[in-house]
Every structure is written in C-alpha cells, then in structure tokens.
Amino acid sequence: MLEKAYIFLIKFVRNNKENQKILIQYLDLFMEDMEFGVHSWELICEVFKNSDELINFNLVPIVKKSIKLIDSLHLETQKKTILLSFFSYLMSIKDNPVREMQVLICTELTSTIRKNSDHLFIGENGIKDLHLYMLEMKNLYAEFMGQERFLQEIQIPPELSYTIEYIRILSQCGDGKNSTTEAIAAEKVPLDDLIANMRMADFCYPLKSSLI
C-alpha cells in the first residue's frame, strides 16, 4: 500500500511545478520512509527536479541524511545503487548545472566520514578486484551461451553496478566546468587508474561509458 501511494505521488508531481510546490511541505514525512524502500527518495527528488527550489530550498540536511543512508547499505543491495542514481535530479535545472548542489553532493559523497560510499578500483589491488569481476561476468555469459539460452544483456554484479553509478554521479558533479568538483573527482579517480579501468572494462560497456 505504501509503495503504491508513493508511485501515485511520483506521477502526481512529475513535470508539474504546482504539484511540486504542494508536496514540498511534506518532505519530513517522506524522509521518515526512506528506510522502507526507494520510492520515498525518488519522490523527494521528483519534487525538486527542474525546480527553482533547488536554489531556494535548504537541501543540506536532506542530502546529508540520504547519503548517510546510502553509506549504511551493503554493496550487494540494489537499493544502494538506485538511491544514488536519483541524485542526478538534484544537480541541474533543465540541463543547467546548479553549482551549489554539485559541490554539496560531491563533497558529502566523497567525505572521509563515509566508510562505505565509494567502491572504486584504484591501485594495483583495485585493478585485481576489477579483473575478478570481469572474469565472473565472462563465466556467467559463457554458461548461458553454453546452455543455448538467450541473454538479453550482460548481467552486472550489484557491487559493480554501484561503482558505475558512483562514477556517473561524480562526473555529473563536474558538469559546467565546476573546478571544485572536478578536483575532487580527479583525486578520487586518478587518470592512471581511470585508464587502467578502461582497459580492464573489456565488454562491460556501462562501466566504460561512465569512465568516459
């Protein structure tokens, strides 16, 4: 019932500025439900999507709480990746980057107090870990092909899916030549490691795309 209610409200506010303003007063209520699924956070992000309130509203406590929740989730859970993906709604207004939101999200997401927010393949050990993921995906693909079963797309492990989304959000934080967030991203993913990841990514095109 709760999930259906949120799905209705998401459709209620989508691309509708008047309805976005109606629901903005209930943000605290929606925040309380974030631990139960992804739709409450999706709704919050829809409320601010392409809205001038991205500039006017104090989103600091909301962003901090949501990233803290993401940090608390295990890498193996798809919820972690889905929650992270909705930050893309909060960094621009009709494709025009909102610098303050980019800095806020990038700073909070990469903060040293976050112990489980990044899952990057950095350094020699990181490249070895990525190699293992690539082998796992290849073996799974070979197994399906050997059984003559049709595989619509390569299955990406949840941990790697999170890495792909994390890199994509970092890159979006730098849209519009934001030197502050660009420097943070460059520190998190040094160029040499980025190139090594590209070479190792092989046929995992979502990872290649996020790195590019």
Side-chain angles (χ1 to χ4, degrees):
M1 183 66 72
L2 183 63
E3 180 182 15
K4 291 181 179 179
Y6 271 113
I7 291 173
F8 168 78
L9 291 174
I10 288 167
K11 293 179 179 179
F12 177 73
V13 300
R14 184 165 289 160
N15 301 320
N16 190 313
K17 292 186 178 298
E18 291 184 3
N19 291 346
Q20 285 176 318
K21 291 180 180 179
I22 292 173
L23 289 193
I24 202 168
Q25 59 185 308
Y26 300 106
L27 292 179
D28 289 341
L29 179 62
F30 304 147
M31 288 294 290
E32 292 177 3
D33 291 336
M34 279 185 58
E35 62 184 282
F36 301 120
V38 300
H39 291 306
S40 58
W41 178 234
E42 181 181 3
L43 174 60
I44 291 169
C45 292
E46 282 284 357
V47 167
F48 289 100
K49 187 177 181 181
N50 292 323
S51 169
D52 292 337
E53 292 299 330
L54 270 178
I55 299 174
N56 303 323
F57 197 88
N58 178 21
L59 278 161
V60 174
I62 294 177
V63 169
K64 284 179 176 289
K65 184 174 181 178
S66 58
I67 292 180
K68 183 179 180 180
L69 173 60
I70 292 172
D71 192 52
S72 70
L73 297 172
H74 294 294
L75 283 168
E76 295 81 4
T77 62
Q78 196 64 34
K79 179 181 178 180
K80 191 178 183 78
T81 301
I82 295 173
L83 290 175
L84 182 65
S85 69
F86 291 124
F87 277 112
S88 61
Y89 291 8
L90 303 180
M91 287 190 281
S92 64
I93 300 176
K94 295 181 178 179
D95 296 326
N96 296 312
V98 179
R99 182 183 177 87
E100 294 78 6
M101 290 304 301
Q102 288 177 312
V103 173
L104 171 62
I105 292 170
C106 189
T107 302
E108 285 298 320
L109 196 59
T110 59
S111 171
T112 55
I113 67 173
R114 309 299 174 201
K115 304 303 180 183
N116 193 34
S117 287
D118 67 21
H119 184 242
L120 300 169
F121 304 103
I122 305 301
E124 184 177 348
N125 290 333
I127 297 302
K128 289 180 179 178
D129 289 341
L130 180 57
H131 178 62
L132 292 176
Y133 279 112
M134 293 299 105
L135 284 178
E136 178 185 344
M137 292 172 62
K138 283 183 179 180
N139 291 337
L140 181 61
Y141 183 75
E143 179 183 340
F144 272 86
M145 293 300 290
Q147 297 174 0
E148 298 183 353
R149 294 170 61 183
F150 178 65
L151 187 64
Q152 289 185 324
E153 60 183 28
I154 296 171
Q155 299 300 306
I156 301 175
E159 304 94 328
L160 188 55
S161 292
Y162 179 80
T163 299
I164 292 169
E165 193 59 43
Y166 186 90
I167 294 172
R168 190 181 70 83
I169 293 296
L170 277 186
S171 66
Q172 191 173 350
C173 287
D175 281 352
K177 297 183 179 180
N178 191 325
S179 59
T180 301
T181 53
E182 286 175 357
I184 295 173
E187 183 178 355
K188 293 294 290 184
V189 189
L191 183 58
D192 289 345
D193 290 297
L194 192 152
I195 294 172
N197 275 233
M198 281 287 293
R199 290 172 176 166
M200 186 62 65
D202 199 9
F203 59 87
C204 186
Y205 299 110
L207 176 57
K208 284 187 174 181
S209 177
S210 67
L211 291 166
I212 291 172

